[in-house]
């Protein structure tokens, strides 16, 4: 076994670790912004710090328990994005018994922003799936699977549970107790009595830990199951180490919940008449009916919705917003768009939003102070316009980023926006495709909204909200009546006053308006 481990370490170092380790050394202790998690063996992880490497690997631990389980590795929930603290388990791409090669996708993980593939960079066999499809809000490092080196070891984990993975020391104490009992049997009577006396306080402490104090000890899976079923953990007796509540305890309590009260009533009625009477506890008031009967529906929060709520609350409460509004004539850009689409013969189809993105990128080039971000101790001015485009998805709002818009033409921008938004709605974006950027555009014009005030997306210093174009009467000296009907679009810039002064924001909107009212300049 040790020889095989050494060979695998050498292979990893020559194939994956040379690229992974420099990146791991600079990574956060709990997060890494990539779906390619490099899973090194513990002997290699110790060279770079067990805790740091474990967070990158998804907390990969290795045991050879005295209970009889072969040497194995516990794979934890990986941190696939910098803001991820918990994840949902999607479709498993491997089944129990399947061989895993370096780079194989083990399981799909739903992070706070997207659904991503967890690629395993090691060899082995999947012996046990500890987190089935649909498991929600699983904290980082919580056990999700068991990996073994030898295929013949897979069958030994048929009865393995997540509680054993979380408390691997449980088997060893149990075995130690057995060994202690055997030693006591073989020892002289005096030694045996002493051993029993020492064992009694330990057992009493374990019982006390399960019921004493205000803290309730339960595994993450048990907590999740109890929450989903509306069960009170305080009413559940734990059978795990030190009274810990485990999955089987929740299932047993839920199964016997309907008969728990009748059984208690029967026990009370059959008590001896001579027993001292105890004051009956007042019954808890009945809870209000849930669901349609109460006139409302409680919708569980997704990871994405939690992150949206947290980030926007932080942005609105900590970033000093101010707003500038501008009206822009869209007649010329609409005619240019129509001409270009006609000449394309179906090769591409430009939208007004493509012109808006290009005009914003050109204005950011002219007024680089707006293309900046607040970094706490300094202001970072970006050299390219990496524009985040707000896109509505079934799960919530996400902002895929079109990189270097200032250096791309309308055709390239159009194709990239369509591709990114399509994958965003399919929940298939990679972290680097929606994290970062230097400026945000939010367009609600297609919904008929004429004007709105958007919330800045930190660390960006500004966001541009786009409304629908509407027909208005405008002065026109060349017209017989002295006025004409024009298509006018209202835009509003929300800016961070720590970075962008009012005059600078006004210069940006003036440049932006100039490009859209003279769209041929976008082609230069």
């Amino acid at each position: 076994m040790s020889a095989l481990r050494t060979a695998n370490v050498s292979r990893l170092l020559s194939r994956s670790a040379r690229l992974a380790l420099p990146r791991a050394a600079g990574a956060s202790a709990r997060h890494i912004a990539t779906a390619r998690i490099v899973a090194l063996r513990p002997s290699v992880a110790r060279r770079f710090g067990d805790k740091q490497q474990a967070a990158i690997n998804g907390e990969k631990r290795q045991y050879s328990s005295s209970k009889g389980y072969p040497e194995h590795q516990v794979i934890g929930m990986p941190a696939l994005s910098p803001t991820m603290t918990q994840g949902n388990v999607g479709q498993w791409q491997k089944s129990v018994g399947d061989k895993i090669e370096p780079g194989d996708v083990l399981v799909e993980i739903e992070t706070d922003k997207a659904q991503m593939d967890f690629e395993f960079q090691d060899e082995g066999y999947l012996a046990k799936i500890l987190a089935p499809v649909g498991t929600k809000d699983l904290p980082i490092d919580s056990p999700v699977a068991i990996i073994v080196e030898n295929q013949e070891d897979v069958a030994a984990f048929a009865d393995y549970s997540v509680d054993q993975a979380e408390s691997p020391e449980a088997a060893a104490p149990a075995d130690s107790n057995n060994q202690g009992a055997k030693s006591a049997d073989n020892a002289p009577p005096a030694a045996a009595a002493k051993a029993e006396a020492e064992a009694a306080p330990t057992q009493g402490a374990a019982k006390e830990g399960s019921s004493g104090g205000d803290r309730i000890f339960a595994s993450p899976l048990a907590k999740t199951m109890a929450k989903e079923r509306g069960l009170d953990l305080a009413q559940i007796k734990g059978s795990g180490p030190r009274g810990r509540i485990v999955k089987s305890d929740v299932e047993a309590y839920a199964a016997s919940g309907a008969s728990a009260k009748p059984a208690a009533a029967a026990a009370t009625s059959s008590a001896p008449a001579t027993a001292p009477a105890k004051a009956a506890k007042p019954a808890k008031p009945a809870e209000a009916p849930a669901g349609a009967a109460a006139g409302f529906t409680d919708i569980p929060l997704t990871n994405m919705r939690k992150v949206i709520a947290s980030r926007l609350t932080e942005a609105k409460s900590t970033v000093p917003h101010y707003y500038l509004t501008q009206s822009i004539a869209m007649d010329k850009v609409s005619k240019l768009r129509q001409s270009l689409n006609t000449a394309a013969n179906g090769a591409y189809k430009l939208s007004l939003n493509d012109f808006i993105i290009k005009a914003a990128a050109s204005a950011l080039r002219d007024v680089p102070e707006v293309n900046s971000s607040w970094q706490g101790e300094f202001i970072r001015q970006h050299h390219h316009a990496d524009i985040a485009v707000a896109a509505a998805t079934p799960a919530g709002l996400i902002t895929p980023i079109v990189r270097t818009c200032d250096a791309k033409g309308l055709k390239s921008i159009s194709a990239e926006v369509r591709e990114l938004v399509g994958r965003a709605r399919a929940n298939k974006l990679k972290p680097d495709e929606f994290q970062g950027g230097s400026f945000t555009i939010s367009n609600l014009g297609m919904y008929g909204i004429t004007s709105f005030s958007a919330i800045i997306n930190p660390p960006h210093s500004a966001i541009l909200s786009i409304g629908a174009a509407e027909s208005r009467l405008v002065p026109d000296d060349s017209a017989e009546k002295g006025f004409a009907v024009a298509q006018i679009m209202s835009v509003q810039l929300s800016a961070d006053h720590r970075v962008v002064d009012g005059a600078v924001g006004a210069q940006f909107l003036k440049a932006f308006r100039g490009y859209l009212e003279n769209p041929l300049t976008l082609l230069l």
Side-chain angles (χ1 to χ4, degrees):
M1 181 69 70
S2 60
L4 177 59
R5 188 180 304 116
T6 302
N8 283 336
V9 169
S10 300
R11 177 186 54 76
L12 285 172
L13 286 174
S14 61
R15 185 173 183 178
S16 301
R18 287 179 299 177
L19 293 176
L21 296 181
R23 181 171 55 190
S28 166
R30 290 188 57 82
H31 300 110
I32 181 170
T34 176
R36 295 183 176 272
I37 304 302
V38 180
L40 301 180
R41 295 202 180 277
S43 59
V44 179
R46 280 192 293 271
R47 296 174 57 187
F48 306 98
D50 289 335
K51 293 183 179 180
Q52 182 182 31
Q53 189 63 44
I56 297 171
N57 295 347
E59 186 63 21
K60 188 173 184 180
R61 297 169 288 181
Q62 187 162 344
Y63 304 115
S64 179
S65 73
S66 56
K67 187 176 179 180
Y69 290 113
E71 190 172 280
H72 59 282
Q73 297 168 325
V74 180
I75 307 303
M77 170 65 73
L80 300 182
S81 77
T83 57
M84 179 179 174
T85 59
Q86 58 187 15
N88 300 338
V89 179
Q91 190 67 36
W92 282 89
Q93 302 300 317
K94 296 291 183 179
S95 301
V96 173
D98 287 355
K99 185 176 182 180
I100 303 173
E101 298 286 352
D104 285 354
V105 176
L106 187 62
V107 61
E108 295 177 355
I109 299 294
E110 181 187 348
T111 69
D112 50 358
K113 281 292 187 179
Q115 185 155 323
M116 303 169 61
D117 293 334
F118 175 24
E119 294 184 4
F120 196 66
Q121 298 296 323
D122 205 348
E123 289 181 346
Y125 293 87
L126 180 59
K128 185 73 174 181
I129 294 176
L130 300 175
V133 176
T135 302
K136 296 184 178 297
D137 299 332
L138 201 60
I140 297 301
D141 299 341
S142 297
V144 297
I146 298 294
I147 303 294
V148 295
E149 291 184 349
N150 303 314
Q151 188 173 17
E152 57 269 19
D153 294 337
V154 171
F157 292 87
D159 62 342
Y160 198 89
S161 67
V162 67
D163 303 300
Q164 291 169 297
E166 292 173 341
S167 302
E169 71 280 358
D175 190 70
S176 299
N177 290 340
N178 293 337
Q179 293 178 0
K182 292 179 182 179
S183 300
D185 292 340
N186 297 331
K194 182 178 180 181
E196 291 180 1
E198 292 177 351
T202 303
Q203 296 174 357
K207 293 181 180 178
E208 182 181 357
S210 62
S211 57
D214 297 330
R215 183 178 177 185
I216 299 175
F217 294 92
S219 68
L221 181 58
K223 291 179 181 178
T224 300
M225 293 175 60
K227 182 178 179 181
E228 291 177 348
R229 302 184 186 192
L231 302 178
D232 184 5
L233 285 173
Q235 305 298 323
I236 303 176
K237 184 177 181 181
S239 62
R242 301 181 182 177
R244 184 186 179 99
I245 300 173
V246 297
K247 174 185 176 183
S248 57
D249 298 327
V250 178
E251 293 176 339
Y253 182 83
S256 62
S259 58
K261 292 183 179 179
T268 303
S269 62
S270 62
T274 58
K278 294 183 179 180
K281 294 182 180 180
K284 293 182 179 180
E287 296 182 359
F296 61 85
T297 301
D298 292 332
I299 302 175
L301 294 178
T302 62
N303 288 342
M304 180 181 288
R305 180 54 56 188
K306 292 177 184 177
V307 171
I308 291 173
S310 174
R311 286 179 58 81
L312 293 185
T313 300
E314 178 185 2
K316 192 62 176 176
S317 59
T318 63
V319 177
H321 287 59
Y322 74 90
Y323 309 95
L324 299 175
T325 304
Q326 181 71 274
S327 296
I328 302 173
M330 298 295 288
D331 298 89
K332 291 183 179 180
V333 74
S334 296
K335 292 179 180 179
L336 177 60
R337 169 180 172 264
Q338 184 177 2
S339 299
L340 292 175
N341 285 339
T342 301
N345 292 324
Y348 56 84
K349 186 176 181 180
L350 302 177
S351 68
L352 284 177
N353 202 50
D354 301 329
F355 285 88
I356 290 170
I357 294 173
K358 180 61 178 177
S362 300
L364 289 173
R365 181 187 57 207
D366 296 345
V367 189
E369 293 86 353
V370 180
N371 196 35
S372 304
S373 59
W374 178 261
Q375 300 293 330
E377 298 297 327
F378 58 90
I379 295 174
R380 175 173 295 161
Q381 191 171 110
H382 302 277
H383 296 162
H384 291 285
D386 298 331
I387 296 181
V389 181
T393 72
L397 183 69
I398 194 168
T399 53
I401 300 170
V402 185
R403 306 281 179 182
T404 61
C405 293
D406 53 315
K408 293 178 180 176
L410 289 166
K411 180 180 176 181
S412 298
I413 291 175
S414 178
E416 193 167 342
V417 168
R418 290 176 185 273
E419 195 266 339
L420 285 172
V421 171
R423 287 198 291 114
R425 290 172 177 163
N427 206 16
K428 294 295 183 182
L429 287 180
K430 299 176 183 178
D432 60 335
E433 292 175 326
F434 60 82
Q435 294 172 357
S438 61
F439 188 79
T440 309
I441 294 177
S442 181
N443 190 344
L444 294 180
M446 66 285 293
Y447 298 105
I449 302 300
T450 56
S451 179
F452 65 100
S453 301
I455 300 175
I456 295 173
N457 180 27
H460 299 177
S461 63
I463 180 173
L464 187 64
S465 55
I466 308 296
E470 54 183 354
S471 299
R472 295 184 192 175
L473 291 177
V474 296
D476 186 354
D477 296 337
S478 62
E480 182 179 352
K481 296 181 179 181
F483 63 86
V485 177
Q487 293 294 312
I488 304 298
M489 179 181 72
S490 294
V491 300
Q492 186 174 92
L493 181 72
S494 304
D496 182 350
H497 218 315
R498 297 173 301 180
V499 182
V500 182
D501 292 333
V504 175
Q507 293 172 15
F508 169 81
L509 283 182
K510 181 180 179 181
F512 178 72
R513 176 182 178 179
Y515 283 113
L516 287 181
E517 292 188 345
N518 298 281
L520 289 177
T521 56
L522 295 175
L523 306 180
L524 299 178

